[in-house]
Amino acid sequence: MEEIRVSTEKPGLEGWLAGGLAWAIPGAGHFYQGQPVRGLLLGGSVLAMYVIGWLLGGHLYGLHNVAETGFLAYVFGFCDLGTGLLYLASLLGNIAVTDNARLATSEYGDRFLMVAGLLNYLSMLDAFDIAVRRKK
Amino acid sequence: MRHLLIMILFAALVAIIFGIVGREKPFERFTYGAKIFAEFVGIGLALAWVLYWLPI
């Protein structure tokens, strides 16, 4: 049975900073807390997933251009937003924003990009938990 | 073949992150990650065979 640590302390600035960094740059929250190997593995995996998704022809969903996909685009956009600055930089730089529906792997690419964001949310929560000492 | 490789790559990357985040001891991380990977690939292949027999 795994031990569950419950912290009664209010999360301080450290926790929010670690979480924010982990969201903005995948892996950075763990680097900031002196856990470079963990940061490298988490950040590297998220980054790899993002690059593979892009190479497979996937595209990012914006939070504004929802005319074709409808409400689901907001959900997809939220998933994509998880990759932090990568997502924002891609939108600004017009990288992975075009739908390549004629490519057989474009749907896979979309999922890779979304899951990269969702996994980075997990990584962000992990960094936050470490900072507030709920985890080691 | 390419689709299988993509699935394996997906499973491996997800398993790495789940392993790190889901467990705290190094050996448990490894076994948990391996279990996640095997489940992703195994269930993916099983579903593929089920869908193969469905007339579409």
Side-chain angles (χ1 to χ4, degrees):
Chain A
M1 196 69 175
E2 212 170 323
E3 184 192 344
I4 298 169
R5 278 184 287 278
V6 180
S7 171
T8 50
E9 288 173 39
K10 270 184 109 176
L13 184 67
E14 194 79 356
W16 297 111
L17 189 62
L21 267 175
W23 170 77
I25 305 163
H30 293 84
F31 268 97
Y32 170 68
Q33 295 181 90
Q35 301 207 6
V37 177
R38 200 162 169 167
L40 208 63
L41 282 169
L42 289 171
S45 299
V46 170
L47 195 66
M49 202 144 217
Y50 189 89
V51 172
I52 293 166
W54 174 40
L55 292 176
L56 287 174
H59 79 288
L60 296 164
Y61 286 84
L63 295 169
H64 54 285
N65 50 350
V66 295
E68 284 174 27
T69 322
F71 177 75
L72 260 185
Y74 288 116
V75 179
F76 296 160
F78 173 77
C79 299
D80 287 335
L81 184 65
T83 44
L85 294 181
L86 264 177
Y87 172 77
L88 299 174
S90 294
L91 287 190
L92 288 175
N94 268 341
I95 298 165
V97 289
T98 320
D99 190 0
N100 297 303
R102 64 199 159 75
L103 279 178
T105 55
S106 74
E107 292 261 339
Y108 294 158
D110 291 348
R111 299 313 147 235
F112 266 77
L113 290 171
M114 279 183 225
V115 174
L118 291 174
L119 290 174
N120 200 43
Y121 282 133
L122 263 185
S123 163
M124 180 184 90
L125 292 174
D126 189 58
F128 182 86
D129 281 346
I130 294 168
V132 298
R133 295 185 184 80
R134 285 185 199 145
K135 267 181 155 181
K136 279 185 236 167
Chain B
M1 189 64 192
R2 192 177 175 197
H3 297 261
L4 178 70
L5 284 177
I6 292 169
M7 184 181 75
I8 289 172
L9 211 53
F10 181 90
L13 291 169
V14 173
I16 289 171
I17 295 183
F18 271 43
I20 293 170
V21 171
R23 296 288 183 271
E24 292 197 1
K25 292 173 188 153
F27 183 69
E28 283 180 3
R29 279 185 178 151
F30 177 75
T31 50
Y32 184 59
K35 192 181 129 196
I36 296 277
F37 176 75
E39 281 173 355
F40 259 110
V41 175
I43 293 171
L45 287 175
L47 275 177
W49 275 106
V50 170
L51 293 173
Y52 178 74
W53 297 109
L54 287 181
I56 298 172

